[in-house]
Amino acid sequence: MNLLIVEDDKATIQSYSDNIDSFNKKSNIQISHEIVDTLEKAKESLISPDYDAAIVDLKLSSNTTDLEGLEIVNEIESTLRFPIFVVSGSIGQVDKDESAFFKKRSRDGDFKEVLQEILDIYNTGITKILGKRGVINKYLTTIFWNHLSNSMTSWVSDEERNPTEKEKSLLRYTLLHMQEFIDEDIEEYHPEEFYITEPIKSNIFTGDIVQFKEERFLILTPSCDIVLRADGTRNTDRILFCRIKNLSEVVKNFDLLEKGTSEKNDNRRRLNSYIENKKQNYHFIPKSNIINAGLIDFQDKLTMEETEVNKLVTSSEMTRLATISMPFLKDIISRYSNYYARQGSPDFDTKEIYDSLF
């Protein structure tokens, strides 16, 4: 793990180095650290970085009261992709909120705890995926030389599309190829992959989970109808919602499951049937960091005027919580369509049919 340390206090630097050396003697993960003690050196170190995390002091000179370390934080956040830990005696002066990748820790705290927090993030593999030399960059290099190089003439010679349209087309092409690399070795999905949080599209769209009057709904209006055109209109006057029910509303004896049960327990089996989408009119959504688990009820639908929905979203009376990601949304739409496309046979009087046969 490559660690950047931006710190000018010699005693603190020695403490960091001693702790890292001690860690390296006991761990299979080895930490390589680079120490820079001025703002200028820190900026130079970010020109061609290969770091997995950074520890940044806020005041890098005793001759100024400026929080110079914030310049490094801003530089990393605007152009790079690795977590930042601000370790300083001046963290009270930083009004920036913490996140998974930005932490504020007091200089008086235990450095070993900070180091462990950094290692916990590193062990997820996030920087191996999104870092400058990560897996995604390797995929992009392969796509560029092995795939785009074989088909680029199609875009070069295309006289139907303008440069902006060509760029968007190439972006889709690249991402579709990227998905092929990812799907080559499919494993079980993590529940967080089910959602895109927060929604990326600037306007309501198919697959959005919204909250309205303390209830949750999924937008299922087809994307071709709900997409906002250049003139500000849509192909639909009404937006279709399906209610998302809490598990406790639908699953019998759900409250008993909180006490813990074996896999053979009838209540747990009943819950599993919902999780595995064996109930035709329900579709399970998993629990994530900000979304509670629930069941989309294909029977519990409502539509609202498109203009009214826009007003509710603008006034924050209706809140967009997340968007269901592909391919999960495709599966939901398919199950919803199949549920309403079922063709059942009319019922006969069994006795009458029997009598007619014999």
Side-chain angles (χ1 to χ4, degrees):
M1 186 183 79
N2 295 326
L3 180 62
L4 172 66
I5 298 176
V6 184
E7 174 63 66
D8 69 325
D9 182 74
K10 293 183 179 179
T12 303
I13 291 172
Q14 188 61 52
S15 174
Y16 286 170
S17 296
D18 290 345
N19 275 283
I20 291 171
D21 289 342
S22 176
F23 173 86
N24 284 342
K25 291 176 182 177
K26 305 174 185 176
S27 174
N28 292 328
I29 297 174
Q30 296 298 289
I31 300 174
S32 173
H33 64 288
E34 178 183 353
I35 298 173
V36 292
D37 57 4
T38 68
L39 179 62
E40 291 72 24
K41 290 179 182 177
K43 288 182 175 179
E44 289 176 7
S45 70
L46 297 180
I47 294 174
S48 55
D50 185 23
Y51 302 117
D52 296 295
I55 294 175
V56 181
D57 184 22
L58 291 174
K59 293 184 178 180
L60 299 176
S61 172
S62 58
N63 300 324
T64 179
T65 58
D66 294 340
L67 302 181
E68 296 176 313
L70 286 181
E71 287 192 43
I72 302 304
V73 171
N74 293 335
E75 178 72 16
I76 294 171
E77 286 191 333
S78 61
T79 60
L80 301 169
R81 298 179 294 272
F82 52 81
I84 310 161
F85 280 69
V86 170
V87 181
S88 173
S90 307
I91 56 174
Q93 299 179 49
V94 181
D95 58 4
K96 179 179 172 58
D97 292 335
E98 287 196 349
S99 71
F101 298 135
F102 177 75
K103 304 287 187 181
K104 295 180 287 188
R105 297 293 180 263
S106 171
R107 187 191 290 275
D108 298 330
D110 188 345
F111 178 69
K112 292 179 182 177
E113 293 181 2
V114 173
L115 202 58
Q116 187 59 55
E117 286 188 83
I118 293 172
L119 285 164
D120 288 343
I121 297 174
Y122 173 78
N123 283 331
T124 66
I126 188 66
T127 53
K128 293 178 182 177
I129 298 169
L130 292 173
K132 189 166 184 179
R133 297 183 183 178
V135 172
I136 287 180
N137 270 10
K138 291 178 181 177
Y139 287 161
L140 290 174
T141 301
T142 302
I143 292 167
F144 185 86
W145 290 107
N146 294 357
H147 301 276
L148 271 169
S149 61
N150 296 325
S151 56
M152 193 63 196
T153 53
S154 296
W155 278 275
V156 173
S157 59
D158 185 355
E159 297 181 357
E160 298 295 323
R161 294 172 178 81
N162 62 41
T164 300
E165 290 170 334
K166 288 183 181 182
E167 183 178 334
K168 290 182 178 179
S169 175
L170 279 167
L171 176 60
R172 284 193 299 267
Y173 177 95
T174 303
L175 293 178
L176 288 169
H177 279 65
M178 184 82 72
Q179 189 66 47
E180 284 293 302
F181 279 107
I182 296 169
D183 289 344
E184 185 178 14
D185 186 19
I186 296 176
E187 297 179 358
E188 291 185 346
Y189 285 88
H190 190 284
E192 291 289 347
E193 294 180 72
F194 194 89
Y195 306 102
I196 296 171
T197 53
E198 296 179 351
I200 292 174
K201 292 183 174 65
S202 55
N203 297 288
I204 57 169
F205 205 77
T206 313
D208 278 0
I209 294 177
V210 300
Q211 184 162 321
F212 177 56
K213 292 184 177 179
E214 299 184 354
E215 290 193 308
R216 295 181 298 163
F217 298 88
L218 173 67
I219 295 178
L220 274 183
T221 301
S223 57
C224 57
D225 289 337
I226 201 173
V227 66
L228 197 64
R229 296 178 297 204
D231 62 1
T233 62
R234 294 185 169 94
N235 286 335
T236 183
D237 294 326
R238 302 187 71 85
I239 306 298
L240 170 65
F241 298 87
C242 279
R243 185 178 168 218
I244 300 173
K245 295 182 176 178
N246 296 324
L247 293 174
S248 57
E249 293 181 72
V250 180
V251 183
K252 183 180 178 182
N253 294 334
F254 179 76
D255 57 323
L256 299 178
L257 292 167
E258 294 180 6
K259 301 175 182 177
T261 60
S262 68
E263 291 186 8
K264 295 181 179 180
N265 179 273
D266 286 343
N267 292 326
R268 183 160 171 177
R269 285 176 174 172
R270 186 181 298 109
L271 174 62
N272 287 348
S273 68
Y274 288 96
I275 294 174
E276 295 167 3
N277 290 324
K278 292 180 178 179
K279 306 292 185 180
Q280 284 188 314
N281 63 303
Y282 290 112
H283 193 98
F284 175 76
I285 64 169
K287 177 181 173 62
S288 77
N289 192 39
I290 66 169
I291 302 290
N292 287 326
L295 295 167
I296 303 165
D297 188 347
F298 295 150
Q299 293 181 345
D300 196 344
K301 302 182 295 180
L302 65 92
T303 64
M304 295 177 64
E305 289 281 351
E306 182 258 352
T307 52
E308 178 65 18
V309 174
N310 290 336
K311 289 178 183 177
L312 291 171
V313 172
T314 302
S315 65
S316 298
E317 293 178 71
M318 180 179 288
T319 308
R320 299 171 72 201
L321 302 177
T323 302
I324 295 178
S325 63
M326 298 292 184
F328 301 104
L329 181 57
K330 284 185 178 180
D331 186 36
I332 292 170
I333 293 171
S334 175
R335 292 195 69 235
Y336 174 81
S337 301
N338 289 336
Y339 179 70
Y340 282 99
R342 295 173 303 167
Q343 295 186 22
S345 174
D347 292 333
F348 291 107
D349 183 323
T350 307
K351 182 178 182 304
E352 181 180 2
I353 295 296
Y354 182 87
D355 290 341
S356 70
L357 289 174
F358 302 100

